[in-house]
Amino acid sequence: MGLFKEFKEFAVKGNVMDMAIGVVIGGAFGKIVTSLVSDIIMPLIGAVTGGLNFTEWKWVIREAVMEGETVVKPELCLTWGNFLQVIFDFIIIAFSIFLVIKGINKMKRQPEPEPEAPAAPAGPTQEELLTEIRDLLKNK
């Protein structure tokens, strides 16, 4: 039973739960950004560039072998355009996360400055000290 108890303590620690929540939210956030890129940004880029679609760019190593309508051997290719699309997605996701973290850090309350310790009582000025010394010498 000791192993189960150790696992339970590990699994419910704050850090593990925070990480699990972060992974779930990160996955959902990734879907949102992927949709933003593929459904909004890339069509706009395609409209500006005359229908450019990165995901269709590929280097065919071997053509598909067909017998009529049946594919005997599928096409073998490097889809480097899709790789560029994924890099573009990553850059946008990273920038979006940067903006979110920057906003969160801005919203965090700045720690209130600690109240200053009361100033030490001011000592006598030089003139007061000299006056006191003069008066003491007169009284001798």
Side-chain angles (χ1 to χ4, degrees):
M1 230 23 190
L3 182 64
F4 180 72
K5 185 177 178 182
E6 278 185 62
F7 176 73
K8 181 181 170 186
E9 288 176 10
F10 168 77
V12 295
K13 277 187 180 177
N15 293 342
V16 173
M17 296 305 286
D18 291 345
M19 185 179 71
I21 292 168
V23 167
V24 171
I25 290 175
F29 186 73
K31 289 180 182 179
I32 291 169
V33 174
T34 300
S35 175
L36 171 72
V37 171
S38 62
D39 300 333
I40 296 173
I41 294 175
M42 290 313 291
L44 292 174
I45 291 175
V48 170
T49 60
L52 181 66
N53 185 358
F54 293 127
T55 57
E56 294 175 0
W57 294 357
K58 60 185 174 182
W59 179 49
V60 178
I61 298 171
R62 183 186 70 214
E63 296 288 334
V65 177
M66 306 281 289
E67 284 185 11
E69 296 291 319
T70 309
V71 177
V72 176
K73 283 187 176 179
E75 176 182 72
L76 180 61
C77 61
L78 297 177
T79 53
W80 63 276
N82 191 45
F83 180 69
L84 287 177
Q85 181 67 45
V86 171
I87 290 173
F88 189 66
D89 290 351
F90 171 77
I91 291 169
I92 292 175
I93 289 170
F95 185 70
S96 300
I97 290 173
F98 167 75
L99 292 177
V100 167
I101 297 298
K102 186 174 179 177
I104 289 171
N105 287 341
K106 198 174 205 178
M107 288 185 341
K108 284 184 181 178
R109 288 186 181 171
Q110 298 295 327
E112 294 182 16
E114 294 182 22
E116 293 182 23
T125 63
Q126 187 174 6
E127 289 79 20
E128 292 172 339
L129 286 174
L130 290 173
T131 305
E132 188 178 328
I133 293 170
R134 183 195 63 195
D135 293 343
L136 285 173
L137 288 173
K138 276 186 187 178
N139 292 340
K140 277 191 172 187

Coordinates of all heavy atoms in Angstrom, one line a residue, residues 37-38 42-43 45-47 49-58 80-82 84-85:
V37 N -4.9 30.4 -37.9 CA -3.9 30.4 -39.0 C -4.6 29.8 -40.2 O -4.5 30.5 -41.3 CB -2.7 29.6 -38.6 CG1 -1.8 29.4 -39.8 CG2 -1.9 30.3 -37.5
S38 N -5.2 28.6 -40.1 CA -5.6 28.0 -41.3 C -6.9 28.6 -41.9 O -7.2 28.5 -43.1 CB -5.8 26.5 -41.1 OG -6.8 26.3 -40.1
M42 N -4.2 32.3 -43.4 CA -3.7 31.8 -44.6 C -4.6 32.1 -45.8 O -4.1 32.4 -46.9 CB -3.5 30.2 -44.5 CG -2.3 29.9 -43.6 SD -0.8 30.8 -44.0 CE -0.4 30.1 -45.6
P43 N -6.0 32.1 -45.7 CA -6.8 32.6 -46.8 C -6.5 34.0 -47.2 O -6.5 34.3 -48.4 CB -8.2 32.4 -46.3 CG -8.1 31.3 -45.3 CD -6.8 31.5 -44.6
I45 N -3.6 35.5 -46.8 CA -2.3 35.5 -47.5 C -2.5 34.9 -48.9 O -1.9 35.4 -49.8 CB -1.2 34.6 -46.7 CG1 -0.8 35.4 -45.4 CG2 0.0 34.3 -47.5 CD1 0.1 34.6 -44.5
G46 N -3.3 33.9 -49.0 CA -3.6 33.3 -50.3 C -4.3 34.4 -51.3 O -3.9 34.4 -52.5
A47 N -5.1 35.2 -50.7 CA -5.8 36.2 -51.5 C -4.8 37.3 -52.0 O -4.8 37.7 -53.1 CB -6.9 36.9 -50.7
T49 N -1.5 36.8 -52.3 CA -0.5 36.2 -53.2 C -1.0 35.5 -54.4 O -0.3 34.8 -55.1 CB 0.4 35.3 -52.3 OG1 -0.4 34.2 -51.8 CG2 1.1 36.0 -51.2
G50 N -2.3 35.6 -54.6 CA -2.9 35.0 -55.8 C -3.2 33.5 -55.6 O -3.0 32.7 -56.5
G51 N -3.6 33.1 -54.5 CA -4.0 31.7 -54.2 C -2.9 30.8 -53.8 O -3.0 29.6 -53.9
L52 N -1.8 31.4 -53.2 CA -0.7 30.6 -52.7 C -1.1 29.7 -51.5 O -1.7 30.2 -50.6 CB 0.4 31.5 -52.3 CG 1.7 30.9 -51.8 CD1 2.4 30.2 -52.9 CD2 2.6 32.0 -51.2
N53 N -0.8 28.4 -51.6 CA -1.1 27.5 -50.5 C 0.1 26.7 -50.2 O 0.5 25.8 -51.0 CB -2.3 26.6 -50.9 CG -2.8 25.7 -49.8 OD1 -2.2 25.7 -48.7 ND2 -3.8 24.9 -50.0
F54 N 0.7 26.9 -49.1 CA 1.9 26.2 -48.7 C 1.8 24.7 -48.6 O 2.7 24.0 -49.0 CB 2.5 26.7 -47.4 CG 2.9 28.1 -47.4 CD1 2.4 29.0 -46.4 CD2 3.9 28.6 -48.3 CE1 2.9 30.3 -46.4 CE2 4.3 29.9 -48.3 CZ 3.8 30.8 -47.3
T55 N 0.6 24.2 -48.2 CA 0.5 22.8 -47.9 C 0.5 22.0 -49.2 O 0.7 20.8 -49.1 CB -0.8 22.5 -47.1 OG1 -1.9 23.0 -47.9 CG2 -0.8 23.2 -45.8
E56 N 0.3 22.6 -50.3 CA 0.4 21.9 -51.6 C 1.8 21.7 -52.2 O 2.0 21.0 -53.1 CB -0.5 22.5 -52.6 CG -2.0 22.5 -52.2 CD -2.9 23.3 -53.2 OE1 -2.3 23.9 -54.1 OE2 -4.1 23.3 -53.0
W57 N 2.7 22.4 -51.6 CA 4.1 22.3 -52.1 C 4.7 21.0 -51.6 O 4.7 20.7 -50.5 CB 4.9 23.5 -51.6 CG 4.5 24.8 -52.1 CD1 3.5 25.1 -53.0 CD2 5.0 26.1 -51.7 NE1 3.4 26.5 -53.2 CE2 4.3 27.1 -52.4 CE3 6.0 26.5 -50.8 CZ2 4.6 28.4 -52.2 CZ3 6.3 27.8 -50.7 CH2 5.6 28.8 -51.4
K58 N 5.3 20.3 -52.6 CA 5.9 19.0 -52.3 C 6.9 18.7 -53.3 O 6.9 19.2 -54.4 CB 4.8 17.9 -52.2 CG 4.0 17.7 -53.5 CD 3.0 16.7 -53.2 CE 2.1 16.6 -54.5 NZ 1.0 15.6 -54.3
W80 N 7.2 19.4 -48.1 CA 7.9 20.5 -47.4 C 7.0 21.8 -47.2 O 7.3 22.6 -46.3 CB 9.2 20.8 -48.1 CG 9.1 21.3 -49.5 CD1 8.9 20.6 -50.6 CD2 9.1 22.7 -49.9 NE1 8.9 21.4 -51.7 CE2 9.0 22.7 -51.3 CE3 9.2 23.9 -49.2 CZ2 8.9 23.9 -52.0 CZ3 9.2 25.1 -50.0 CH2 9.0 25.0 -51.3
G81 N 6.0 21.9 -48.0 CA 5.1 23.1 -47.9 C 4.3 22.9 -46.6 O 4.1 23.9 -45.9
N82 N 3.9 21.7 -46.3 CA 3.2 21.5 -45.0 C 4.1 21.8 -43.8 O 3.7 22.3 -42.8 CB 2.7 20.0 -45.0 CG 1.7 19.8 -43.8 OD1 0.9 20.7 -43.6 ND2 1.9 18.8 -43.1
L84 N 6.5 24.0 -43.8 CA 6.5 25.5 -43.7 C 5.3 26.0 -43.0 O 5.3 26.9 -42.2 CB 6.6 26.1 -45.1 CG 8.0 26.0 -45.8 CD1 7.9 26.7 -47.2 CD2 9.1 26.7 -45.0
Q85 N 4.1 25.4 -43.3 CA 2.9 25.8 -42.6 C 3.0 25.5 -41.1 O 2.5 26.3 -40.3 CB 1.7 25.0 -43.2 CG 0.4 25.3 -42.7 CD 0.0 26.7 -43.0 OE1 0.1 27.2 -44.1 NE2 -0.5 27.5 -42.0

